Amino acid sequence: MRVAMLAPVAWRTPPLHYGPWELVSSLLTEGLVAAGVPVTLFATLDSVTTAELDGVCPHGYAQDPDMDGRIWEALHVAHALGRSGEFDLVHNQLDWLPLAFDRHCRAPMVTTIHGFSGAAILPAYRRSSSAFVAISAADRAPELDYIATVHHGIDLDALPLRSTAGPELVAFGRIHPDKGTAQAIAIARAAGRRLIICGIVQDEAYFAEQVQPHLDGDQVRYLGSIGPEQRAQVLGGAAVLLHPIGFDEPFGLSVVEAMACGTPVVAYRRGSMAEVVDEGVTGYLAHDVPSAVAAVTAATRLDRDRVGARARERFGVARMVQDYLRVYEQILARR
């Protein structure tokens, strides 16, 4: 089975700090190679992989203001589909654009749907012959048929379990109303705990108006977008991860990464959170600031070793690789 892994090109694969789709593409690619599957990773040319690397984009367009992402994504997709006849299967991790040209794909395509930017992109999905994989049951669009739901896997070796942690809370994710950064500040203040914030600033106005005025270097600290080593340290060192989302989260990588470190989660009950968080075991779900404050108190009493064990049981990358191998076999059996 020869697999073409079509990764996004906004960031390097794996990303140096931010880039969740690139991270999942990398973890799956490396897991497949370790399982003996020949994989060609189509990604930025500065990507790091044990697979064969191919591509046209020198580096991530999100880090280079001189690069137009629309142009480079189109060139990237055209290059990968031009080689598609060399493979048994093309795995699209790149959203809708490859779907618009899947008639030019000379191998079966499977698309992991990492989330929808809006209903306006659905025609590209409905008209495509690709098989679709959802990353959570909550993120399935009723208009589409899916071959499977596969929860993301994470690199457990990079996220060591911490049985004890400090008193601080952490909010980890892009600074945007969707991620509820301002809500996290309000929860931490009401709970009487310090808060550490990590993530790229995706909404400059929101950051300037609702986040930055609260940053004092003590009660509320902002560390920016941090890389893998510091990520494990920050997530594992916190008492609780706050995830008061303002949208229907398709999955939530930082949630399962925190839990793998033993850190329980308090999240708003939206999107996939009821699937990802085992209430009373790995965290609690809330719906507003007062209920989240009460949940923080309860979460600090959870057994961190049990939190980590449950996350490692459910969200290891090896499980994800096996799930996708079953998907690949189903697709190839249809030929």
Side-chain angles (χ1 to χ4, degrees):
M1 182 194 307
R2 298 160 300 168
V3 175
M5 188 67 64
L6 183 53
V9 288
W11 307 96
R12 191 194 84 165
T13 300
L16 294 171
H17 51 94
Y18 181 77
W21 296 14
E22 288 86 350
L23 176 59
V24 172
S25 299
S26 175
L27 290 171
L28 180 55
T29 296
E30 302 312 305
L32 289 169
V33 171
V37 178
V39 180
T40 296
L41 174 66
F42 290 90
T44 62
L45 292 174
D46 63 343
S47 295
V48 178
T49 181
T50 57
E52 176 188 335
L53 176 64
D54 194 12
V56 295
C57 195
H59 49 257
Y61 65 76
Q63 69 189 65
D64 188 342
D66 293 329
M67 296 177 70
D68 187 322
R70 297 170 302 171
I71 300 301
W72 285 100
E73 283 191 346
L75 293 172
H76 175 61
V77 170
H79 176 70
L81 295 188
R83 286 192 59 192
S84 59
E86 302 173 31
F87 304 99
D88 297 303
L89 183 139
V90 173
H91 191 152
N92 169 33
Q93 305 270 4
L94 188 61
D95 207 12
W96 67 270
L97 185 59
L99 304 179
F101 300 99
D102 70 356
R103 291 183 183 179
H104 302 283
C105 188
R106 297 188 297 277
M109 181 185 291
V110 58
T111 297
T112 295
I113 303 178
H114 290 269
F116 297 102
S117 58
I121 69 172
L122 279 172
Y125 289 83
R126 287 197 296 263
R127 296 180 184 185
S128 170
S129 60
S130 175
F132 298 125
V133 172
I135 60 173
S136 67
D139 198 52
R140 284 183 171 233
E143 301 94 332
L144 302 179
D145 293 323
Y146 294 82
I147 193 169
T149 296
V150 178
H151 288 154
H152 289 331
I154 55 175
D155 182 359
L156 299 176
D157 292 337
L159 298 160
L161 176 66
R162 298 246 324 241
S163 297
T164 59
E168 294 87 5
L169 308 179
V170 64
F172 207 106
R174 54 196 168 89
I175 313 301
H176 189 279
D178 283 352
K179 292 293 189 177
T181 317
Q183 289 275 305
I185 293 171
I187 293 165
R189 178 174 289 118
R193 290 177 179 264
R194 291 186 173 92
L195 177 67
I196 298 171
I197 300 171
C198 302
I200 63 169
V201 177
Q202 196 172 59
D203 187 321
E204 295 282 355
Y206 176 74
F207 178 75
E209 296 167 10
Q210 299 194 47
V211 177
Q212 195 167 32
H214 301 285
L215 303 180
D216 59 9
D218 179 27
Q219 292 300 307
V220 184
R221 290 190 291 147
Y222 174 52
L223 302 185
S225 184
I226 62 177
E229 292 182 7
Q230 196 177 3
R231 187 184 192 97
Q233 179 183 354
V234 171
L235 288 174
V240 175
L241 173 79
L242 297 180
H243 202 64
I245 47 176
F247 79 126
D248 292 331
E249 178 88 72
F251 185 73
L253 274 173
S254 63
V255 170
V256 298
E257 288 172 336
M259 295 188 304
C261 295
T263 301
V265 173
V266 170
Y268 280 2
R269 188 185 291 273
R270 295 196 61 171
S272 65
M273 290 300 101
E275 284 177 63
V276 173
V277 178
D278 295 311
E279 281 209 273
V281 179
T282 60
Y284 291 96
L285 302 178
H287 60 274
D288 58 11
V289 171
S291 60
V293 171
V296 166
T297 300
T300 59
R301 301 192 185 109
L302 293 174
D303 183 334
R304 291 180 65 93
D305 289 343
R306 191 179 179 207
V307 172
R310 179 63 65 87
R312 289 164 182 274
E313 175 186 305
R314 295 188 60 198
F315 300 113
V317 70
R319 186 272 309 153
M320 177 177 69
V321 169
Q322 291 304 312
D323 285 351
Y324 273 114
L325 284 173
R326 283 189 285 271
V327 169
Y328 296 169
E329 289 165 1
Q330 289 180 60
I331 293 169
L332 296 178
R334 297 174 175 176
R335 299 183 73 177

